[in-house]
Amino acid sequence: MRPPGRGGVPPASPALLFLLLPVLMQLLGAPRGEGAGTGAGAPSELRVRVRLPDGQVTEESLQADSDADSISLELRKPDGTLISFTADFKKDVKIFRALILGELEKGQSQFQALCFATRLHHNEIIPSEAMAKLRQKNPRAVRQAEEVRGLEQMHMDVTVNFSQGGLLSPHLRNVCAEAADAIYTRQEDVRFWLEQGVDSFVFEALPKASEPMLLPRCGQVGDRGKPCVCRYGLSLAWYPCMVKYCRGRDRPTPYKCGIRSCQKSYSFDFYVPQRQLCLWDEDP
């Protein structure tokens, strides 16, 4: 297995420039009109100020594409790390990407990229059509999630072949381009995707020696050239996880009247061939 993806700092795209005026979205409303500048089915984008678990505030970009039936989220942490999340409803795949700034004084390259692909359950986040209809409200407010969902810990024991990744999800080749050699998933998710018709050559199992009981955590390894089990954690600070329904005296059936927001944290354990590739994991 090749070391995780590394390279120079990629040029910033408009979707990554979070120093614009923030926009907060809250209530689920009617579809955007012509003044919004998007046609039917065209991707929509909203920006929202959110409070991170450590109390700091950042800007978050949310995009919905009802034609592709997908949702994406991006946020930049105060340390410069860029976190991306993509939900592909057509393929039942969710993709997490982290672009982690390197520490040159420790011999790291300018950034390190990681990608994690897991099965998407459709009740985890609101549908893409509902996301596209979210309206802006109170742009100066800082949003904090109404519900904090429990930490999900995952052992990633399979890698995804980047050159064939489009067969798993058409979004993977774009989202994980910088992490071509570091795309991880799990056996249990692979079994589900194989049942859905995804070819087995998209995946490659990691060697048994990479199991946590056979290799130490990277935080316990002093030699930076030795293999170990790395742990990386990330959090989606604020995302619409559920559509709210209300009842009215004049309406015999419940109607959509807003969204419920959630915060969710994830912890990924995965094999790295060198401790040097996991210098953030300092905990034993």
Side-chain angles (χ1 to χ4, degrees), residues 121-142:
H121 297 272
H122 287 209
N123 60 353
E124 295 181 64
I125 191 168
I126 67 174
S128 60
E129 288 188 1
M131 180 78 84
K133 295 176 183 178
L134 289 174
R135 301 177 71 179
Q136 304 170 2
K137 186 178 180 181
N138 195 1
R140 296 184 181 276
V142 175

Side-chain angles (χ1 to χ4, degrees), residues 112-236:
Q112 184 172 342
L114 301 170
C115 258
F116 307 100
T118 62
R119 178 184 176 183
L120 173 68
H121 297 272
H122 287 209
N123 60 353
E124 295 181 64
I125 191 168
I126 67 174
S128 60
E129 288 188 1
M131 180 78 84
K133 295 176 183 178
L134 289 174
R135 301 177 71 179
Q136 304 170 2
K137 186 178 180 181
N138 195 1
R140 296 184 181 276
V142 175
R143 181 57 53 187
Q144 191 156 356
E146 300 168 81
E147 177 185 341
V148 178
R149 295 187 169 179
L151 170 69
E152 187 171 353
Q153 295 181 304
M154 290 178 273
H155 173 60
M156 315 303 281
D157 51 3
V158 177
T159 59
V160 177
N161 182 338
F162 176 73
S163 65
Q164 304 296 330
L167 298 175
L168 176 61
S169 168
H171 302 278
L172 190 139
R173 288 183 59 82
N174 179 47
V175 174
C176 299
E178 296 92 349
D181 303 320
I183 308 173
Y184 301 92
T185 187
R186 303 180 297 175
Q187 286 281 4
E188 60 193 84
D189 296 322
V190 169
R191 284 193 291 270
F192 169 77
W193 291 323
L194 292 178
E195 293 173 357
Q196 305 306 306
V198 178
D199 289 314
S200 60
F201 57 75
V202 173
F203 311 102
E204 181 180 350
L206 288 167
K208 288 295 182 180
S210 67
E211 294 294 327
M213 68 286 294
L214 300 177
L215 271 182
R217 277 277 307 279
C218 289
Q220 301 172 316
V221 175
D223 187 341
R224 294 186 178 181
K226 289 190 174 182
C228 52
V229 175
C230 183
R231 176 168 294 173
Y232 188 78
L234 59 84
S235 179
L236 303 182

Side-chain angles (χ1 to χ4, degrees), residues 16 73-75 82-86 95-98 175 236:
L16 307 183
L73 177 156
E74 287 186 336
L75 65 88
L82 182 66
I83 301 297
S84 301
F85 167 79
T86 300
I95 305 168
F96 303 87
R97 184 194 66 185
V175 174
L236 303 182

Side-chain angles (χ1 to χ4, degrees), residues 4-20:
R6 309 170 71 177
V9 175
S13 67
L16 307 183
L17 299 177
F18 295 107
L19 299 179
L20 303 176

